[in-house]
Amino acid sequence: MDNTYNIFTVERRIDIKKECIRILRTCKDKRFFYPIDTFEYNFYNLFLNDSHIDMAYASMYIKFNLFTIFNNIIETWKYRNSATNINEYFEDLGIQDFNNPLDDSQSILILLTITNLLDYSKNCLINIFLSDPDDEPYDFEPYLSLLTNLYDNSTKIIRQNIDYAIEQINYKISDYGEDRKIFTKRDADVDSVLGVDIKLDQYLLGYLDIQNQDNIQFKKHALKAIADYLEPHTQKFNGTTMKSLYDTFAFSVNNMDIRHNNESQINLNNSERKEVYDKIFRIGIHLIRDLNVREIKKEIDQYKPK
């Protein structure tokens, strides 16, 4: 009997801290192709023609470790808060020594930061180094794909290893807006209702974001967003098996410090609140899916013979 896919391998666990340290070591030891201080040397010497890069020249002038690249672009990253280098950014996250994460949570935050700065550094490559309309003597546009491909290929190992590590702890990398990624727990229930409402998607994904797992304030906002989405559909639950479930959901969001904060609210401590909010979230997802399935049923029913 083949036990390759059994209950023990549905969600494989790895030492995420060890994987993070291994990835950090690669970021520091390996050299990646990226044009820092492009005008301090003859940048055109980098290109043999429109379709080739002089790799000897590239290796001499535009090869840096990944944290040197990140420190070069971080000051224009809108998510840096007040940090001016990668060390300060991690310190703001409560990570005093990012080379030696203390636990799984710090390791995952480090990997998430690397993922976002990889994307942002590529964006800088396109928008800052290569697309300056005021610098006519340096028209790098014909060589844009050459440089971006060179950077992508050199950083591929980092992306692949992060993808692998995150997948092994049952997370996935999700887009959160146009310019940021988050790590979200794989969740078939939530995946089944994504796309029903674009604004709601941000709260649904955000609820699964590892950075929000203990964020009571975000959970409260997300549950309120679900309640606001469901409220116009209240009548649709009347006379159905979902009526009781909707009543429980409505009672919860109105009496557990989610939509109101009056004196009649049920008093929950933080640990209890997190557990209860997560259960309310599950009910909300089920109600959204019920509405979605009904719409699908209507579309299918139109093919029935009349």
Side-chain angles (χ1 to χ4, degrees):
M1 179 177 178
D2 184 5
N3 288 321
T4 302
Y5 297 103
N6 55 37
I7 193 169
F8 301 106
T9 58
V10 169
E11 183 175 323
R12 285 180 55 192
R13 290 291 177 179
I14 60 171
D15 186 340
I16 191 65
K17 179 179 175 180
K18 183 183 79 173
E19 292 294 325
C20 178
I21 291 173
R22 181 179 292 171
I23 290 168
L24 285 168
R25 189 181 304 121
T26 305
C27 290
K28 290 180 291 184
D29 294 346
K30 184 176 169 61
R31 293 298 180 264
F32 306 87
F33 293 103
Y34 195 87
I36 295 176
D37 298 327
T38 53
F39 303 112
E40 289 189 1
Y41 52 87
N42 189 343
F43 196 60
Y44 282 109
N45 287 343
L46 180 61
F47 303 102
L48 296 175
N49 51 51
D50 287 355
S51 58
H52 291 89
I53 289 177
D54 185 338
M55 295 305 297
Y57 192 86
S59 296
M60 183 178 300
Y61 290 105
I62 67 165
K63 213 172 183 185
F64 306 93
N65 79 42
L66 206 53
F67 293 116
T68 299
I69 296 170
F70 290 166
N71 282 327
N72 184 259
I73 53 91
I74 196 170
E75 288 188 9
T76 58
W77 190 40
K78 71 179 182 181
Y79 298 108
R80 70 178 177 86
N81 299 318
S82 62
T84 57
N85 58 58
I86 196 71
N87 286 299
E88 291 177 353
Y89 180 77
F90 282 125
E91 286 174 1
D92 290 346
L93 295 180
I95 303 172
Q96 297 306 314
D97 181 7
F98 75 88
N99 293 300
N100 186 29
L102 296 178
D103 51 31
D104 289 358
S105 294
Q106 287 195 0
S107 301
I108 295 170
L109 284 175
I110 291 168
L111 296 181
L112 176 60
T113 300
I114 292 172
T115 297
N116 277 308
L117 284 176
L118 276 173
D119 286 347
Y120 183 65
S121 57
K122 182 177 178 179
N123 184 63
C124 287
L125 183 61
I126 296 169
N127 294 325
I128 297 176
F129 290 107
L130 304 179
S131 303
D132 187 354
D134 297 326
D135 215 345
E136 294 181 4
Y138 297 95
D139 180 17
F140 300 144
E141 191 64 30
Y143 312 108
L144 174 59
S145 62
L146 293 178
L147 271 181
T148 53
N149 287 340
L150 187 64
Y151 185 54
D152 283 344
N153 288 333
S154 67
T155 57
K156 184 186 297 184
I157 185 66
I158 301 297
R159 293 184 183 274
Q160 288 176 337
N161 286 2
I162 291 176
D163 287 346
Y164 170 80
I166 293 305
E167 182 179 347
Q168 296 310 304
I169 58 172
N170 206 28
Y171 277 81
K172 64 179 180 178
I173 302 174
S174 299
D175 290 324
Y176 196 72
E178 296 181 354
D179 60 354
R180 186 158 66 99
K181 287 183 168 57
I182 58 177
F183 292 167
T184 58
K185 190 76 172 175
R186 291 186 180 277
D187 191 302
D189 288 340
V190 172
D191 287 349
S192 70
V193 297
L194 289 176
V196 171
D197 181 274
I198 295 176
K199 183 179 179 181
L200 191 61
D201 283 356
Q202 299 299 299
Y203 285 106
L204 300 179
L205 285 172
Y207 204 97
L208 301 177
D209 182 359
I210 192 168
Q211 297 174 98
N212 288 329
Q213 60 184 351
D214 297 315
N215 188 340
I216 298 298
Q217 198 62 31
F218 183 88
K219 290 176 183 290
K220 183 188 297 188
H221 290 320
L223 291 174
K224 183 180 182 302
I226 293 174
D228 291 344
Y229 175 80
L230 290 172
E231 191 168 41
H233 305 284
T234 303
Q235 298 302 317
K236 295 179 181 178
F237 297 113
N238 291 339
T240 73
T241 56
M242 303 297 287
K243 176 66 166 62
S244 175
L245 197 61
Y246 179 79
D247 288 345
T248 297
F249 178 84
F251 169 83
S252 301
V253 296
N254 288 326
N255 293 278
M256 293 185 173
D257 195 27
I258 295 170
R259 299 183 89 178
H260 309 292
N261 59 359
N262 51 47
E263 293 181 359
S264 65
Q265 298 295 296
I266 297 171
N267 187 28
L268 301 170
N269 61 44
N270 278 342
S271 176
E272 192 177 16
R273 189 184 303 275
K274 177 183 179 299
E275 183 178 349
V276 171
Y277 281 7
D278 288 349
K279 290 176 179 176
I280 298 170
F281 179 73
R282 289 293 152 194
I283 296 176
I285 295 299
H286 193 50
L287 291 167
I288 295 172
R289 184 167 53 240
D290 178 73
L291 290 174
N292 191 35
V293 168
R294 285 197 227 174
E295 290 302 315
I296 294 173
K297 181 180 181 302
K298 286 181 182 178
E299 294 175 9
I300 300 299
D301 282 349
Q302 68 180 334
Y303 295 103
K304 290 181 178 178
K306 297 180 181 179

